[in-house]
Amino acid sequence: MRDSDTWRSDHLLKRGFIGLCLICMVASSIQFIPVQYINSNISNFRNWSLTVEFFGAYIVMFNFAVYAYRRYSNGNLFKILSLKDYQLTAFATVMAFLTAQAYIFMFSIFFQNRFSIEAIHFSKDLYDNNWSLTLLIIGFVFLSPIVEELVFRAYFLDVAFPDKWRWLGEIFSAVFYGLFHMRYHNLYSFVFFAQYGFWMAWLYNQTRNVKSTIIMHMVLNSVTISIVGYYYYH
């Protein structure tokens, strides 16, 4: 696409429609539906079929996100990370985690209401089902971060915002990420997750490499699932 065509109204509508489809696709969490029907640790045809559906949903989502990005962006996905990129990734990950912990601590002091550990897809029953738990870990720690970063960082920041407005993209990315992950339906949880979205958007703008935010997202989700597991078993 030529630069002169980028902001034509018809292209804006197409990119906006595709972006909306991508967001709805990720927000639906359709890939986790099959896992909810796996109710036995015994290997059988039904469970294997649901497992195939689980991975199939991710394959469709991944290919759609990659196609949309390559169709409407001139960027290069999955470039090799430099040493500086790794350093920035480590910095953003640590800052996001420390900010989250500081926010939890301040909230507990001023409002006497500590952050309760809950999650949409994880429950005590699922932690007792090895098959479901394995798929959830694979999806939550590895597959979902890839798809979400392709949508909320790569597509959103590269396609929706020109270079001089990329700082504004960081704000919008934070808002969308906060809304998308507002699992507790209150302002407190929105701010908690929005700051994660801001740091990942900041990192993407610094590195222009979606690999960096994927790594950061995977690390943060790994920490989260570990904390949730500790919560259920202690």
Side-chain angles (χ1 to χ4, degrees):
M1 185 184 298
R2 299 190 309 272
D3 291 340
S4 59
D5 293 334
T6 300
W7 302 106
R8 277 173 38 187
S9 59
D10 56 336
H11 286 154
L12 286 173
L13 289 174
K14 289 178 182 177
R15 289 180 295 159
F17 175 73
I18 293 297
L20 179 62
C21 290
L22 288 169
I23 291 174
C24 291
M25 174 187 74
V26 176
S28 68
S29 296
I30 190 173
Q31 70 275 19
F32 287 108
I33 294 177
V35 179
Q36 299 172 7
Y37 293 96
I38 295 176
N39 52 22
S40 172
N41 292 323
I42 301 175
S43 175
N44 56 48
F45 178 78
R46 179 173 180 270
N47 285 350
W48 279 112
S49 298
L50 292 170
T51 301
V52 171
E53 291 179 21
F54 170 79
F55 286 106
Y58 270 112
I59 291 173
V60 171
M61 294 168 66
F62 173 80
N63 281 281
F64 180 35
V66 170
Y67 164 78
Y69 181 85
R70 290 177 174 171
R71 176 67 177 82
Y72 294 104
S73 174
N74 295 322
N76 181 21
L77 283 174
F78 307 121
K79 296 180 293 184
I80 297 176
L81 288 170
S82 66
L83 176 60
K84 183 179 180 181
D85 292 336
Y86 281 111
Q87 293 171 338
L88 287 169
T89 301
F91 172 77
T93 303
V94 171
M95 288 301 299
F97 180 76
L98 292 179
T99 303
Q101 297 309 306
Y103 182 65
I104 293 172
F105 178 73
M106 292 177 61
F107 192 89
S108 66
I109 290 178
F110 291 109
F111 296 95
Q112 300 299 316
N113 182 15
R114 289 191 172 277
F115 182 64
S116 60
I117 301 172
E118 303 172 21
I120 285 180
H121 304 302
F122 297 93
S123 66
K124 183 64 170 63
D125 292 338
L126 287 175
Y127 269 86
D128 291 334
N129 186 327
N130 292 333
W131 195 320
S132 293
L133 179 60
T134 299
L135 293 181
L136 283 168
I137 291 175
I138 293 173
F140 189 71
V141 176
F142 299 103
L143 302 181
S144 286
I146 295 174
V147 174
E148 288 185 27
E149 292 310 307
L150 286 172
V151 173
F152 287 106
R153 250 61 66 181
Y155 186 89
F156 189 77
L157 293 175
D158 282 350
V159 175
F161 295 92
D163 286 345
K164 66 179 180 179
W165 293 105
R166 292 183 75 89
W167 62 270
L168 186 60
E170 294 175 7
I171 298 175
F172 275 90
S173 182
V175 171
F176 274 110
Y177 194 79
L179 291 173
F180 176 70
H181 290 82
M182 196 166 66
R183 296 166 181 166
Y184 316 105
H185 309 292
N186 56 50
L187 181 61
Y188 168 72
S189 63
F190 166 77
V191 175
F192 179 84
F193 289 104
Q195 68 91 19
Y196 280 134
F198 169 79
W199 281 111
M200 284 186 278
W202 176 87
L203 177 61
Y204 185 79
N205 279 343
Q206 294 297 313
T207 64
R208 298 295 182 96
N209 194 327
V210 74
K211 281 184 177 179
S212 61
T213 57
I214 289 174
I215 292 173
M216 177 180 175
H217 203 146
M218 286 182 176
V219 171
L220 292 174
N221 280 12
S222 298
V223 173
T224 298
I225 200 172
S226 299
I227 293 174
V228 174
Y230 179 85
Y231 172 78
Y232 282 131
Y233 282 104
H234 290 79

